[in-house]
Amino acid sequence: MQDMILREVVRIVIPFIQIFSFYVIFHGHLSPGGGFSGGTVLGASFILYRIVNGREKANQRLPNSILMRVLCGSLIFYGILKGYSFITGGSGIHAPQLPLGEAGRIFSAGYLLPLNIAVGMIVSVTMYFLFILFDEGEI
């Protein structure tokens, strides 16, 4: 009986945890938070799902191949965008830039929002992968 109650509560709570994590990631350049803290919250929701629903169901819902693609894609995106900002910002090259926008708006601060999103994805998937390694006795 407890198992069913726990699953139902987690099924209701996880979407709210994930919405909060996206809020933290997307508003990290405007308020405390950002990619790392939002990514840890998102990774914790993945871990909670795996703990409550088991390895098999979690592997169906969050396959390692897709998570690895998200991780690698986010790392490549972060590297390219950060490298581009270093090259164009530091050397005075007049290449296209993201607009800085209006202070206090979600689409402000140039590259910070896309970088926060990339960091959030990297941290959440890395946390989940580390948990998988501990859970399966690999570490």
Side-chain angles (χ1 to χ4, degrees), residues 95-139:
Q97 298 284 332
L98 287 176
L100 291 179
E102 187 179 319
R105 296 265 205 205
I106 189 75
F107 294 113
S108 63
Y111 296 114
L112 284 181
L113 179 60
L115 291 173
N116 275 341
I117 294 170
V119 168
M121 295 302 108
I122 292 165
V123 169
S124 64
V125 173
T126 302
M127 265 185 64
Y128 184 65
F129 279 159
L130 286 174
F131 177 78
I132 289 173
L133 290 174
F134 280 112
D135 186 41
E136 294 178 357
E138 297 292 325
I139 292 181

Side-chain angles (χ1 to χ4, degrees), residues 3 6-8 10-11 14 47-54:
D3 208 32
L6 182 63
R7 282 194 180 125
E8 288 302 311
V10 166
R11 186 180 64 81
I14 282 180
I47 291 169
L48 180 63
Y49 184 83
R50 184 177 173 101
I51 289 172
V52 171
N53 292 306

Side-chain angles (χ1 to χ4, degrees), residues 48-85:
L48 180 63
Y49 184 83
R50 184 177 173 101
I51 289 172
V52 171
N53 292 306
R55 180 182 304 171
E56 292 80 25
K57 193 168 181 181
N59 287 340
Q60 290 174 354
R61 184 75 147 218
L62 300 165
N64 290 345
S65 60
I66 291 176
L67 292 174
M68 188 59 76
R69 286 187 198 129
V70 169
L71 180 66
C72 292
S74 297
L75 280 168
I76 291 168
F77 176 75
Y78 183 88
I80 289 171
L81 191 60
K82 199 62 170 172
Y84 180 77
S85 69

Side-chain angles (χ1 to χ4, degrees), residues 30-54:
L30 301 174
S31 62
F36 188 83
S37 53
T40 56
V41 175
L42 186 61
S45 73
F46 294 161
I47 291 169
L48 180 63
Y49 184 83
R50 184 177 173 101
I51 289 172
V52 171
N53 292 306

